[in-house]
Amino acid sequence: MEDLVFVPQADSKTPLYQHLYAHFVRAIRAGRLAPGEKLPSKRRLAEQLKLSVNTVDAAYQMLTAEGYLEAKPRSGFVVQKLERLAPPAAPAKKPCKTSAPVRWRYNFETASIDTGLFPFKTWRRIQRDVLCGQPHLLNHGPRSGDEELRAAIARHLREARAARCEPEQIVVGAGIEYLLGILARLFAGQTFAVEDPGYARTHRILANNGAPVAFVPVDGQGMSARALAASGAHLAYVTPSHQFPTGVTMPVGRRTELLQWAGAAPDRYVIEDDYDSEFRFDGRPIPCMQGLDEAGRVIYISTFSKSVAPAIRIGYMVLPAPLLETYRQRFGFYSCTVSRFEQQTLSRFMDGGWFSRHLARLRAAYRHRRDALVQALDRELAAIPHTVRGSHTGLHLLLEVHAGVSEARLVERAAAESVHLTGLSDYYHGPCCAPPTLVLGYAGLAPEDIDGAVRALGRAWSGLTDGGPGSV
């Protein structure tokens, strides 16, 4: 013990007993103090180090509490055995520096919304009332979600989507990713059919949860029923209201085909992701597929990401009655993953009529933006053969460019003008046989930027039809 020189670190903010404690920890971990070795008494060590007995006692008590020492009656403090830990392995190579995200002048991504349309004043007022008036919300709530929110969602679905559901069928969760993970485990071992093209995130979430995935092609009416039947899948994940990314709305004939497929075997279900259903600009909204289902074969799933905000992280699914008991037995003990304060704020927002008025405001704003984008494309790309598709519903459209150049070249030329585009082929699992097509999301593009963004595309693609330098 005499060779263990204690020199406190020059840190006036750290108490002296913590310096002494750290000194002994380093000595024990390094093996300079052997297991079974007896330490000096508190009074003797205090005299040796010219410290107070209280300082030594505090350090010894910390070491004992953490298991470095054992206090033996009438014997003193004895060093305990510690397993020697292997040093960390040296990295094979230096980690790559993370590059800063590209800042585009114009961005046609599909994931953004216009945050300026969020009802800040109303939401803040409701949330303040919830925070001040309901302290019981600090405790756990119902595991499937608060009753008030599930009732509000059920009313909205019955009125706006012609769904058949009761609040007891609804499970609230923090977004599609969480809910889809639950479904993957609920149907463990069964194959999920997903749309091709479609969201890459969907099949990746399923795969991460151990679910086998079959890619089923999408035609002009949505997921092919014939290809689905040949896939061997037990569940079909579809976006019938506005297929992403093609923009196809599934007609009732195809919907009934999928329902017949599901009803032909006891373990088959259709998962209806009602993506972008709130934003139908031309004609009346089409009722959801779940409303056609009389046999309990449709699992309805949706979020408030586009209608309220992505960061709110509130999604929900409506389980058919035959599945409810199975879900409750296997996952009914899971706590709801959404804050009760957010749940209560949203439920009041819906019950007070603000949600329906907010949706009407969003539709008007995004319809105006859609119209402005289509007009700008026709005006600024008049010299470039193109076709606009899928603009009737949702917050993105497709731009086919018939200029004899590849989709990758179109994206590359746009990037040179600081315009971010995504090609339709990026959403295919297999080869894409469509003409060069760009997916233009416009919800996050400011109205005053639309003309400038399309003019930039016109500059980027100039000369593509006359043998210019960009035509190869």
PDB file of all heavy atoms in Angstrom, residues 28-42:
ATOM      1  N   ILE A  28      -7.060  -0.962  -8.371  1.00  0.00           N
ATOM      2  CA  ILE A  28      -7.658  -2.304  -8.317  1.00  0.00           C
ATOM      3  C   ILE A  28      -7.823  -2.867  -9.727  1.00  0.00           C
ATOM      4  O   ILE A  28      -7.516  -4.032  -9.989  1.00  0.00           O
ATOM      5  CB  ILE A  28      -9.004  -2.255  -7.569  1.00  0.00           C
ATOM      6  CG1 ILE A  28      -8.782  -1.881  -6.101  1.00  0.00           C
ATOM      7  CG2 ILE A  28      -9.739  -3.589  -7.681  1.00  0.00           C
ATOM      8  CD1 ILE A  28     -10.061  -1.626  -5.317  1.00  0.00           C
ATOM      9  N   ARG A  29      -8.312  -2.028 -10.672  1.00  0.00           N
ATOM     10  CA  ARG A  29      -8.510  -2.509 -12.039  1.00  0.00           C
ATOM     11  C   ARG A  29      -7.180  -2.865 -12.704  1.00  0.00           C
ATOM     12  O   ARG A  29      -7.114  -3.811 -13.504  1.00  0.00           O
ATOM     13  CB  ARG A  29      -9.231  -1.440 -12.870  1.00  0.00           C
ATOM     14  CG  ARG A  29     -10.711  -1.294 -12.542  1.00  0.00           C
ATOM     15  CD  ARG A  29     -11.333  -0.215 -13.411  1.00  0.00           C
ATOM     16  NE  ARG A  29     -12.768  -0.107 -13.181  1.00  0.00           N
ATOM     17  CZ  ARG A  29     -13.549   0.800 -13.771  1.00  0.00           C
ATOM     18  NH1 ARG A  29     -13.003   1.685 -14.621  1.00  0.00           N
ATOM     19  NH2 ARG A  29     -14.828   0.831 -13.523  1.00  0.00           N
ATOM     20  N   ALA A  30      -6.124  -2.136 -12.357  1.00  0.00           N
ATOM     21  CA  ALA A  30      -4.814  -2.397 -12.969  1.00  0.00           C
ATOM     22  C   ALA A  30      -4.086  -3.553 -12.298  1.00  0.00           C
ATOM     23  O   ALA A  30      -3.033  -3.990 -12.776  1.00  0.00           O
ATOM     24  CB  ALA A  30      -3.959  -1.137 -12.913  1.00  0.00           C
ATOM     25  N   GLY A  31      -4.616  -4.071 -11.189  1.00  0.00           N
ATOM     26  CA  GLY A  31      -3.975  -5.181 -10.510  1.00  0.00           C
ATOM     27  C   GLY A  31      -2.898  -4.763  -9.546  1.00  0.00           C
ATOM     28  O   GLY A  31      -2.183  -5.626  -8.993  1.00  0.00           O
ATOM     29  N   ARG A  32      -2.723  -3.471  -9.310  1.00  0.00           N
ATOM     30  CA  ARG A  32      -1.705  -3.028  -8.360  1.00  0.00           C
ATOM     31  C   ARG A  32      -2.131  -3.333  -6.925  1.00  0.00           C
ATOM     32  O   ARG A  32      -1.289  -3.386  -6.023  1.00  0.00           O
ATOM     33  CB  ARG A  32      -1.425  -1.529  -8.540  1.00  0.00           C
ATOM     34  CG  ARG A  32      -0.826  -1.167  -9.903  1.00  0.00           C
ATOM     35  CD  ARG A  32      -0.231   0.231  -9.899  1.00  0.00           C
ATOM     36  NE  ARG A  32      -1.187   1.252  -9.558  1.00  0.00           N
ATOM     37  CZ  ARG A  32      -1.992   1.869 -10.436  1.00  0.00           C
ATOM     38  NH1 ARG A  32      -1.959   1.509 -11.714  1.00  0.00           N
ATOM     39  NH2 ARG A  32      -2.805   2.803 -10.050  1.00  0.00           N
ATOM     40  N   LEU A  33      -3.427  -3.499  -6.723  1.00  0.00           N
ATOM     41  CA  LEU A  33      -3.950  -3.987  -5.457  1.00  0.00           C
ATOM     42  C   LEU A  33      -4.552  -5.360  -5.733  1.00  0.00           C
ATOM     43  O   LEU A  33      -5.502  -5.492  -6.505  1.00  0.00           O
ATOM     44  CB  LEU A  33      -5.011  -3.037  -4.899  1.00  0.00           C
ATOM     45  CG  LEU A  33      -4.488  -1.708  -4.342  1.00  0.00           C
ATOM     46  CD1 LEU A  33      -5.647  -0.805  -3.953  1.00  0.00           C
ATOM     47  CD2 LEU A  33      -3.576  -1.947  -3.138  1.00  0.00           C
ATOM     48  N   ALA A  34      -4.004  -6.398  -5.120  1.00  0.00           N
ATOM     49  CA  ALA A  34      -4.390  -7.773  -5.423  1.00  0.00           C
ATOM     50  C   ALA A  34      -5.654  -8.167  -4.671  1.00  0.00           C
ATOM     51  O   ALA A  34      -5.918  -7.652  -3.565  1.00  0.00           O
ATOM     52  CB  ALA A  34      -3.244  -8.714  -5.058  1.00  0.00           C
ATOM     53  N   PRO A  35      -6.444  -9.108  -5.234  1.00  0.00           N
ATOM     54  CA  PRO A  35      -7.619  -9.615  -4.514  1.00  0.00           C
ATOM     55  C   PRO A  35      -7.216 -10.200  -3.164  1.00  0.00           C
ATOM     56  O   PRO A  35      -6.206 -10.918  -3.043  1.00  0.00           O
ATOM     57  CB  PRO A  35      -8.159 -10.701  -5.454  1.00  0.00           C
ATOM     58  CG  PRO A  35      -7.662 -10.318  -6.810  1.00  0.00           C
ATOM     59  CD  PRO A  35      -6.323  -9.691  -6.585  1.00  0.00           C
ATOM     60  N   GLY A  36      -7.980  -9.887  -2.134  1.00  0.00           N
ATOM     61  CA  GLY A  36      -7.699 -10.359  -0.788  1.00  0.00           C
ATOM     62  C   GLY A  36      -6.791  -9.452   0.009  1.00  0.00           C
ATOM     63  O   GLY A  36      -6.623  -9.647   1.220  1.00  0.00           O
ATOM     64  N   GLU A  37      -6.180  -8.467  -0.649  1.00  0.00           N
ATOM     65  CA  GLU A  37      -5.279  -7.561   0.065  1.00  0.00           C
ATOM     66  C   GLU A  37      -6.087  -6.651   0.987  1.00  0.00           C
ATOM     67  O   GLU A  37      -7.127  -6.105   0.604  1.00  0.00           O
ATOM     68  CB  GLU A  37      -4.473  -6.736  -0.933  1.00  0.00           C
ATOM     69  CG  GLU A  37      -3.438  -5.826  -0.266  1.00  0.00           C
ATOM     70  CD  GLU A  37      -2.539  -5.140  -1.292  1.00  0.00           C
ATOM     71  OE1 GLU A  37      -2.574  -5.539  -2.484  1.00  0.00           O
ATOM     72  OE2 GLU A  37      -1.810  -4.214  -0.903  1.00  0.00           O
ATOM     73  N   LYS A  38      -5.565  -6.502   2.199  1.00  0.00           N
ATOM     74  CA  LYS A  38      -6.246  -5.677   3.199  1.00  0.00           C
ATOM     75  C   LYS A  38      -5.742  -4.251   3.113  1.00  0.00           C
ATOM     76  O   LYS A  38      -4.524  -4.007   3.054  1.00  0.00           O
ATOM     77  CB  LYS A  38      -6.006  -6.248   4.585  1.00  0.00           C
ATOM     78  CG  LYS A  38      -6.721  -5.489   5.694  1.00  0.00           C
ATOM     79  CD  LYS A  38      -6.429  -6.118   7.041  1.00  0.00           C
ATOM     80  CE  LYS A  38      -7.064  -5.325   8.164  1.00  0.00           C
ATOM     81  NZ  LYS A  38      -6.756  -5.900   9.492  1.00  0.00           N
ATOM     82  N   LEU A  39      -6.685  -3.296   3.113  1.00  0.00           N
ATOM     83  CA  LEU A  39      -6.321  -1.888   3.070  1.00  0.00           C
ATOM     84  C   LEU A  39      -6.113  -1.358   4.493  1.00  0.00           C
ATOM     85  O   LEU A  39      -6.640  -1.909   5.463  1.00  0.00           O
ATOM     86  CB  LEU A  39      -7.411  -1.077   2.371  1.00  0.00           C
ATOM     87  CG  LEU A  39      -7.672  -1.383   0.884  1.00  0.00           C
ATOM     88  CD1 LEU A  39      -8.630  -0.358   0.315  1.00  0.00           C
ATOM     89  CD2 LEU A  39      -6.376  -1.392   0.086  1.00  0.00           C
ATOM     90  N   PRO A  40      -5.360  -0.264   4.600  1.00  0.00           N
ATOM     91  CA  PRO A  40      -5.165   0.346   5.926  1.00  0.00           C
ATOM     92  C   PRO A  40      -6.490   0.797   6.517  1.00  0.00           C
ATOM     93  O   PRO A  40      -7.470   1.049   5.796  1.00  0.00           O
ATOM     94  CB  PRO A  40      -4.250   1.535   5.632  1.00  0.00           C
ATOM     95  CG  PRO A  40      -3.637   1.249   4.304  1.00  0.00           C
ATOM     96  CD  PRO A  40      -4.623   0.453   3.547  1.00  0.00           C
ATOM     97  N   SER A  41      -6.528   0.895   7.805  1.00  0.00           N
ATOM     98  CA  SER A  41      -7.731   1.421   8.447  1.00  0.00           C
ATOM     99  C   SER A  41      -7.949   2.868   8.023  1.00  0.00           C
ATOM    100  O   SER A  41      -7.036   3.530   7.515  1.00  0.00           O
ATOM    101  CB  SER A  41      -7.578   1.350   9.971  1.00  0.00           C
ATOM    102  OG  SER A  41      -6.579   2.269  10.403  1.00  0.00           O
ATOM    103  N   LYS A  42      -9.144   3.321   8.220  1.00  0.00           N
ATOM    104  CA  LYS A  42      -9.483   4.690   7.804  1.00  0.00           C
ATOM    105  C   LYS A  42      -8.601   5.707   8.526  1.00  0.00           C
ATOM    106  O   LYS A  42      -8.098   6.653   7.911  1.00  0.00           O
ATOM    107  CB  LYS A  42     -10.968   4.963   8.084  1.00  0.00           C
ATOM    108  CG  LYS A  42     -11.907   4.171   7.206  1.00  0.00           C
ATOM    109  CD  LYS A  42     -13.360   4.459   7.502  1.00  0.00           C
ATOM    110  CE  LYS A  42     -13.782   3.748   8.775  1.00  0.00           C
ATOM    111  NZ  LYS A  42     -15.255   3.897   9.021  1.00  0.00           N
TER     112      LYS A  42
END
